[in-house]
Amino acid sequence: MVVNRNTRISTLIAENSEMIDAIASINKHFKKLKNPILRKVLAPRVTVADAAKVGGVSINTFLNKIAEVGFEIELTNEENNQNNLVAENNNSSMSKDNLVSLDVRPIIEGGNDPFKEIMATVKTLTTEQTLEIVNSFEPIPLINKLKRQGFTTWTEKDNDGTIHSFFKKEHNVKDEERIVDEVVLDFDEKYKEFVGKLMQIDVRHLEMPEPMTTILEELELLPEGNALFVEHKKVPQFLLPELNARKFEILYNEKSENHIQLLIFRA
C-alpha cells in the first residue's frame, strides 16, 4: 500500500493496528487516537496532511514515521509550517458578537459523533452570528468543510488546552460547490459496506464527455444493492446533478491532484 498526503488515518489503522502507537509517538496531540471513541470520530475524516497540521509537523515527517511501520510512502515537496493551533484566517478583530456556542466534548465522551449536531447548528446560523465549537482538539475536517461553504474560521487555545474554533459565514457558494461539499463523507466506511458488491471502471483515459456518459451507462446496469467504484481524474461537477436526479449518492476519495476515486450507490 502506497501512502501519501491524502491517505486517511482510518485506512492506515485498518491496514496495520501498529499505526496507532506509531502516530501517537509523533506528537502528544495524536495520543487521542488511543481512545477508541475519539479514534472512531477522527480517523475516518482526517488525512495525513490534516494530521500533520494538527501535530505541528511537516507532512514528510509524518510520512517518514509511517514508513517505519512498513508502508511505502510518497513524499511531497510541500512542507507544512509549524501549526500553533491558529487557523490561517486568525485575526483578533474577528467579530464574536451574536455568538452561538456548542461544546461538543460531552457528545464525544458519550461515544457519539458530534458532526450531525454541528451541521444542524450551522444550518440555523445567520450572517450576523458566529459559531463557536469548544473541543479538546482542532477540528481540521470541519474547518476545511466550512471554508468550502464560505465561512471564515479561526482557532484559539486556552491555557488548559481547550480549543475554541470560530466560524462566521462571509459569502455564499455556488450550488454545484455546495453539492460537492455535501458528499464529502466517510468514503472508507461506506466502501467497506459494498465489499464484494462493487462494479469497477476507470475513466481517466477517456476524453470529455465520455467519462460522464460511461458512468451513467454503467449505473443503468448496476444491480440492486451494489455500488459503482470509479477511478477518475477529478470530481465530475456536471455529473452530480444527474446523480441527484436519479436518486444516487456519491462519495469520493482524493488520491492525488489528478486522481480521485468515486463511490456511487442508490440513495
Side-chain angles (χ1 to χ4, degrees), residues 102-152:
L102 180 60
D103 189 339
V104 300
R105 291 173 296 180
I107 300 175
I108 295 175
E109 290 167 3
N112 298 308
D113 187 343
F115 183 76
K116 289 184 179 180
E117 185 165 343
I118 292 172
M119 295 313 298
T121 303
V122 167
K123 289 181 179 179
T124 67
L125 290 177
T126 67
T127 54
E128 289 76 29
Q129 292 176 312
T130 299
L131 174 64
E132 175 191 30
I133 300 297
V134 183
N135 206 346
S136 58
F137 55 87
E138 187 179 15
I140 297 297
L142 179 66
I143 289 172
N144 292 338
K145 179 181 181 69
L146 293 187
K147 278 184 177 179
R148 291 193 297 269
Q149 290 192 358
F151 283 79
T152 295

Side-chain angles (χ1 to χ4, degrees), residues 219-232:
L219 289 175
E220 291 295 325
L221 304 174
L222 188 68
E224 190 70 31
N226 284 35
L228 180 64
F229 183 85
V230 185
E231 304 281 3
H232 208 311

Side-chain angles (χ1 to χ4, degrees), residues 10-226:
S10 58
T11 302
L12 295 174
I13 294 174
E15 193 78 14
N16 188 336
S17 61
E18 293 180 10
M19 280 307 310
I20 298 174
D21 289 332
I23 295 174
S25 70
I26 298 175
N27 186 291
K28 64 180 181 179
H29 294 295
F30 300 136
K31 294 186 185 296
K32 296 180 177 66
L33 286 175
K34 293 190 174 184
N35 182 320
I37 296 173
L38 289 174
R39 187 164 66 246
K40 179 182 177 182
V41 172
L42 290 173
R45 294 198 177 106
V46 177
T47 65
V48 167
D50 293 334
K53 183 178 180 182
V54 170
V57 298
S58 72
I59 297 173
N60 285 350
T61 296
F62 200 101
L63 286 170
N64 283 323
K65 177 59 69 171
I66 291 172
E68 292 177 9
V69 181
F71 286 99
E72 183 180 351
I73 61 171
E74 181 182 319
L75 293 177
T76 176
N77 292 325
E78 180 182 352
E79 293 289 325
N80 279 357
N81 293 325
Q82 290 295 311
N83 175 27
N84 295 317
L85 292 175
V86 178
E88 294 175 0
N89 293 323
N90 186 18
N91 188 324
S92 59
S93 65
M94 290 289 187
S95 173
K96 294 182 185 178
D97 295 335
N98 298 317
L99 200 64
V100 176
S101 185
L102 180 60
D103 189 339
V104 300
R105 291 173 296 180
I107 300 175
I108 295 175
E109 290 167 3
N112 298 308
D113 187 343
F115 183 76
K116 289 184 179 180
E117 185 165 343
I118 292 172
M119 295 313 298
T121 303
V122 167
K123 289 181 179 179
T124 67
L125 290 177
T126 67
T127 54
E128 289 76 29
Q129 292 176 312
T130 299
L131 174 64
E132 175 191 30
I133 300 297
V134 183
N135 206 346
S136 58
F137 55 87
E138 187 179 15
I140 297 297
L142 179 66
I143 289 172
N144 292 338
K145 179 181 181 69
L146 293 187
K147 278 184 177 179
R148 291 193 297 269
Q149 290 192 358
F151 283 79
T152 295
T153 78
W154 70 102
T155 304
E156 298 175 2
K157 181 180 179 183
D158 289 344
N159 291 332
D160 64 359
T162 301
I163 304 298
H164 301 262
S165 301
F166 299 92
F167 305 87
K168 185 171 178 60
K169 193 161 190 177
E170 297 294 338
H171 64 274
N172 293 320
V173 296
K174 297 177 181 178
D175 288 342
E176 60 266 27
E177 291 175 339
R178 184 177 294 107
I179 293 171
V180 171
D181 186 70
E182 288 174 353
V183 299
V184 184
L185 303 176
D186 295 339
F187 183 97
D188 295 335
E189 291 302 312
K190 183 59 69 172
Y191 179 88
K192 293 174 186 176
E193 294 181 19
F194 287 105
V195 171
K197 297 182 292 183
L198 285 173
M199 293 178 62
Q200 301 188 35
I201 58 173
D202 190 336
V203 299
R204 287 174 291 178
H205 63 289
L206 300 177
E207 297 294 331
M208 294 293 290
E210 289 184 38
M212 178 174 170
T213 57
T214 300
I215 291 171
L216 291 175
E217 288 171 359
E218 291 293 333
L219 289 175
E220 291 295 325
L221 304 174
L222 188 68
E224 190 70 31
N226 284 35

